[in-house]
Amino acid sequence: MSVLILAEDIDATADLMVRALMDREVVVHRVNTAWFPAQLSVTAELRGERWAGRINTPARVIDLEGITAAWYRSPRAYRFPDDMNPAERAHANLEAKYGLGGVLSSLPVLWVNHPARLADAAYKPVQLVTAARCGLDVPETAITNDPDVVHAFVKGGKTVTKTFGTNTIMEEGVRKISFTRLVQESDLDDLRGLDQTTHLFQRWVPKAYEVRMVVIGDHITAASIHTRSATAYIDWRTDYDSLDYSLIEPPPDVVDGVRRLMTSMGLVYGSLDFVVHPDGAWTFLEINAGGQYGWLEDATGAPLTDQLADLLAGGQP
């Protein structure tokens, strides 16, 4: 029995997980896919209904058939030699994705979470419609690149806009971050460039506080997030120092909806965000199937590392 952890070389949360699994006398293999092909090689042969073979690293040989669980934490992209031209690099990357990535993805083990399920869950439109089907309340939402639609939606009430994917870009060597922001009337005066790609607009949800919920297998941990900052009231990621956390019990109907959502999306781990209205109602915002949990464990003392380690050590797909 062994657990494969796919993570970056420097990752404090992965370090804690390695120790937690070793405390459970589980063999741990930690791999960064960026090691391929310089420091990692793979040999796999189809035997019956599964791939058998090995992954070789400078430190160890990993038996594919011995892996019982895999944690897709945050590995980096394959890294190819600098002397390859762009066409060669693109070809090699695609072959590695479908070759090495395909072998790993096909392993009949417990995945937290399976790469294909992670890819599906990354689509916010999929998240929102699935959450609604599972009985969770979701915000009124518009996705468009039509300025006229934006004008009409904003006139319907207080509106926020946010990104679909990562909120970080690098431009001319400068790291820029985009947070959720309120759309002002003055923003509508110049919407040049809006038609060049899709944008997400949502109706502002009346907010008493927010909740970060972490689902690990059957465990559901929810923490309220209160802020003393005006900017963090719009997006709490803007000012972590202003935040206060408390563990709370989510309403039974929300728990039921979340369990249906996790099952529907094929996930065993997820970090979910909710807004709690002044009247106590909960509105789902999004789910991050690979979201961080270490900071919440530090803030609340919730045993999230132990819960995940127990899940991985169990190794039941």
Side-chain angles (χ1 to χ4, degrees), residues 3-307:
V3 173
L4 175 66
I5 295 179
L6 299 171
E8 294 185 59
D9 294 347
I10 300 175
D11 185 332
T13 300
D15 295 342
L16 289 174
M17 184 56 61
V18 170
R19 288 196 287 272
L21 288 169
M22 292 179 67
D23 288 344
R24 289 161 173 78
E25 299 184 347
V26 174
V27 176
V28 184
H29 305 297
R30 181 168 171 176
V31 170
N32 185 355
T33 43
W35 299 347
F36 183 83
Q39 297 175 278
L40 185 153
S41 65
V42 59
T43 298
E45 296 181 0
L46 188 59
R47 294 178 185 169
E49 298 179 352
R50 68 169 294 163
W51 292 100
R54 63 189 181 275
I55 295 173
N56 298 299
T57 75
R60 65 185 63 203
V61 176
I62 304 170
D63 175 17
L64 292 175
E65 292 182 287
I67 298 171
T68 53
W71 183 29
Y72 194 98
R73 165 67 178 166
S74 56
R76 289 298 183 181
Y78 308 118
R79 188 175 298 148
F80 298 99
D82 292 336
D83 58 1
M84 295 178 74
N85 64 43
E88 291 170 335
R89 186 173 291 106
H91 173 74
N93 184 72
L94 198 62
E95 293 301 290
K97 173 183 177 180
Y98 293 125
L100 173 56
V103 167
L104 293 177
S105 296
S106 72
L107 294 179
V109 304
L110 170 72
W111 276 94
V112 183
N113 285 296
H114 192 280
R117 303 293 79 73
L118 284 168
D120 292 342
Y123 291 97
K124 286 184 181 177
V126 173
Q127 296 179 18
L128 290 167
V129 74
T130 305
R133 290 171 181 163
C134 292
L136 297 171
D137 180 64
V138 299
E140 182 183 352
T141 304
I143 297 170
T144 187
N145 68 327
D146 186 334
D148 291 337
V149 173
V150 176
H151 277 274
F153 190 83
V154 172
K155 288 181 180 178
K158 195 173 181 180
T159 300
V160 297
T161 185
K162 61 182 73 172
T163 59
F164 287 105
T166 177
N167 68 333
T168 303
I169 63 170
M170 292 295 296
E171 186 173 28
E172 297 180 350
V174 178
R175 183 171 181 260
K176 299 182 178 181
I177 303 175
S178 172
F179 294 108
T180 300
R181 63 184 296 271
L182 284 171
V183 179
Q184 307 294 333
E185 283 291 332
S186 58
D187 293 329
L188 303 179
D189 295 338
D190 185 359
L191 294 178
R192 286 177 298 175
L194 183 134
D195 59 341
Q196 297 303 304
T197 191
T198 49
H199 300 264
L200 177 67
F201 296 91
Q202 285 185 329
R203 192 69 65 224
W204 169 261
V205 180
K207 181 188 304 184
Y209 57 91
E210 294 187 59
V211 169
R212 167 59 65 94
M213 178 187 291
V214 178
V215 181
I216 301 173
D218 293 331
H219 297 282
I220 291 182
T221 302
S224 63
I225 303 175
H226 293 263
T227 180
R228 303 176 300 280
S229 162
T231 56
Y233 183 68
I234 306 299
D235 188 330
W236 52 259
R237 297 171 299 175
T238 62
D239 189 357
Y240 281 92
D241 291 339
S242 74
L243 305 180
D244 296 311
Y245 310 90
S246 296
L247 294 176
I248 61 172
E249 288 293 329
D253 62 321
V254 173
V255 171
D256 290 343
V258 167
R259 293 199 186 281
R260 287 192 292 269
L261 174 66
M262 298 293 290
T263 299
S264 179
M265 301 191 79
L267 303 173
V268 295
Y269 172 88
S271 294
L272 298 85
D273 290 320
F274 290 86
V275 167
V276 178
H277 303 222
D279 64 5
W282 287 45
T283 293
F284 169 88
L285 295 182
E286 63 182 323
I287 179 171
N288 185 339
Q292 300 282 355
Y293 65 84
W295 59 275
L296 195 63
E297 182 172 50
D298 292 340
T300 66
L304 303 177
T305 296
D306 283 338
Q307 291 173 5

